[in-house]
Amino acid sequence: MRTINAMSFNKFNRLHLHATDAQSWPLEVPALPDLAAKGAYRNSSIWSVADLERVQSHGLSRGIQVFLEIDSPGHTAAIAYAYPDLIAAFNEQPWVSYGNEPPTGQLKLNDSAVTTFMSTLYGDLLPRVSPYSDYFHTGGDELNANVYSLDPSVKSNSSDIIQPYFQSFIDHIHCLVRAQSLTPIVWEETLLIWNLSLPTNSTIIQTWKTSSVAEIVALGYQVIFGDSAHWYLDCGYGGFIDPSPTNPQTPIMPPYLDWCSPMNNWRQIYSYDPRVNISASDQKLLLGGEIQIWGALTDPANLDGKIWPRAAAAAEVLWSGPKGPGGVNEGVTRRLAEMRERLVDLGFAASMVQMEWCLQNQGGCTQ
């Protein structure tokens, strides 16, 4: 609720909740009660039906649509805690061969039980969220092909064999999404890596790589932009993987950088221009942008300082228009520092923007 209030104060109008992932399923689904009962970290971490409704309703009261993402078929290992027969390659080792992070595991792609499960899941969830948003995010990122060599319904890691099954999976769930008058959103890999057939007039593509935006709008799709090299707020804090004492070739070594280091400071965020290499006629397909914070190393104790006031820099870009690196100047610094003070006055633990002396001596900290 606090974050929604701060977002509203900064004129954001969408909140994308990545509600589930490989490690945990915290979302209560009454039609599938074991998902959260067995898949959440603990009972106190479960988002009840009432919790979700309260968050979405509060968002609307602040002018913010809160929409969900149920990432699939990848990033679904936590389903195995409740429904192990639906997941291929659960918690396989070495995990780096079967996923981007532990535990490994993805929904099987050629199994009628998975089709039934997804129908049940969406049949419960979509009618509850559709009154509050126009969108539903179905994920589709970071699908690991090696998993499907261990899937008895596929038995191959060949993309040529996997792709038709992936297409059928997406067709099914997107039909369910559109039946509730929602527009599906997917991650860029579904289009650019897996070459899925997605209707341009009723699918939104979300990007997270630098070069993807121009490529996707050229194909006629609406895009939500948010390049990880500029707009990922959790970069630069280190990773969550420790060096293995039995692996002399461990890649976890000084200076212990995470995959997207360094940190995207507010100037880097402000300098982002998603319009690079996009024609004026295609810029109408830029639906909007997201600045993102992932939860691996984020909790209520450090959330404020990671988001604010850096997200406010993105808000100005979104509302005033991108200006690129040439737009970073002392005037922006002083505006953002003032916004930071407003957030602090409202009770948010927003991080500093500028040294106090510089704010008191205009022009004294330029070079």
Side-chain angles (χ1 to χ4, degrees):
M1 300 295 193
R2 295 178 69 258
T3 298
I4 288 175
N5 292 342
M7 289 176 63
S8 178
F9 188 67
N10 284 273
K11 302 297 186 290
F12 285 100
N13 55 22
R14 300 288 188 275
L15 174 59
H16 168 186
L17 290 180
H18 184 87
T20 61
D21 212 299
Q23 295 79 20
S24 169
W25 186 289
L27 192 65
E28 182 184 37
V29 180
L32 299 162
D34 283 348
L35 276 176
K38 296 181 178 181
Y41 286 138
R42 60 190 69 84
N43 288 341
S44 61
S45 297
I46 292 174
W47 276 52
S48 70
V49 171
D51 291 335
L52 178 58
E53 183 177 13
R54 187 162 51 249
V55 168
Q56 290 194 289
S57 179
H58 184 70
L60 284 189
S61 75
R62 296 294 187 270
I64 295 172
Q65 281 193 30
V66 179
F67 66 91
L68 292 195
E69 177 185 355
I70 301 295
D71 202 352
S72 64
H75 291 276
T76 49
I79 293 172
Y81 296 121
Y83 302 98
D85 293 342
L86 302 182
I87 298 297
F90 176 65
N91 206 19
E92 285 288 334
Q93 297 296 332
W95 64 264
V96 293
S97 297
Y98 299 98
N100 284 43
E101 57 192 25
T104 64
Q106 297 171 176
L107 283 166
K108 295 176 179 178
L109 280 182
N110 188 29
D111 190 319
S112 60
V114 172
T115 304
T116 300
F117 170 83
M118 295 303 293
S119 294
T120 303
L121 172 63
Y122 278 35
D124 180 306
L125 191 56
L126 295 179
R128 292 194 280 115
V129 301
S130 60
Y132 298 100
S133 180
D134 300 321
Y135 312 104
F136 190 85
H137 202 310
T138 63
D141 64 319
E142 298 180 333
L143 195 67
N144 185 287
N146 289 336
V147 163
Y148 293 109
S149 64
L150 304 181
D151 178 352
S153 73
V154 178
K155 298 180 180 179
S156 176
N157 65 355
S158 167
S159 58
D160 291 338
I161 292 174
I162 295 168
Q163 197 268 359
Y165 294 130
F166 192 8
Q167 180 74 62
S168 179
F169 178 91
I170 291 294
D171 287 346
H172 172 61
I173 61 175
H174 282 195
C175 181
L176 299 174
V177 171
R178 294 188 181 101
Q180 292 292 325
S181 300
L182 294 165
T183 299
I185 304 172
V186 291
W187 290 106
E188 62 180 63
E189 291 96 320
T190 56
L191 184 68
L192 299 183
I193 293 179
W194 291 97
N195 195 31
L196 298 190
S197 177
L198 303 165
T200 56
N201 63 346
S202 60
T203 313
I204 297 168
I205 311 297
Q206 181 162 11
T207 67
W208 59 277
K209 296 179 182 178
T210 303
S211 60
S212 303
V213 179
E215 187 176 356
I216 292 170
V217 296
L219 296 172
Y221 290 93
Q222 287 188 311
V223 166
I224 298 171
F225 53 82
D227 171 22
S228 61
H230 291 86
W231 279 17
Y232 270 30
L233 293 170
D234 50 313
C235 295
Y237 287 88
F240 54 87
I241 302 300
D242 287 315
S244 169
T246 62
N247 181 11
Q249 304 301 318
T250 178
I252 312 303
M253 60 182 66
Y256 302 107
L257 302 176
D258 55 58
W259 72 272
C260 57
S261 289
M263 176 189 289
N264 293 319
N265 62 57
W266 76 259
R267 291 182 177 87
Q268 175 74 352
I269 288 166
Y270 195 82
S271 72
Y272 178 44
D273 187 349
R275 303 169 304 178
V276 172
N277 297 323
I278 298 176
S279 67
S281 61
D282 281 345
Q283 288 181 21
K284 64 180 183 297
L285 295 172
L286 299 178
L287 187 63
E290 282 188 10
I291 187 159
Q292 299 169 56
I293 181 78
W294 296 91
L297 295 174
T298 304
D299 66 9
N302 66 359
L303 181 65
D304 280 2
K306 278 190 171 182
I307 296 178
W308 307 111
R310 289 186 293 159
E316 181 168 317
V317 171
L318 290 166
W319 281 111
S320 300
K323 300 171 180 63
V328 176
N329 55 52
E330 185 181 16
V332 182
T333 301
R334 300 180 75 82
R335 281 200 306 279
L336 191 62
E338 185 175 342
M339 176 58 82
R340 184 259 179 175
E341 294 305 316
R342 294 192 186 107
L343 286 164
V344 171
D345 285 346
L346 291 171
F348 296 95
S351 298
M352 284 189 70
V353 171
Q354 180 60 295
M355 183 169 64
E356 189 70 18
W357 187 90
C358 300
L359 294 174
Q360 292 181 2
N361 292 269
Q362 188 167 356
C365 294
T366 60
Q367 183 178 355

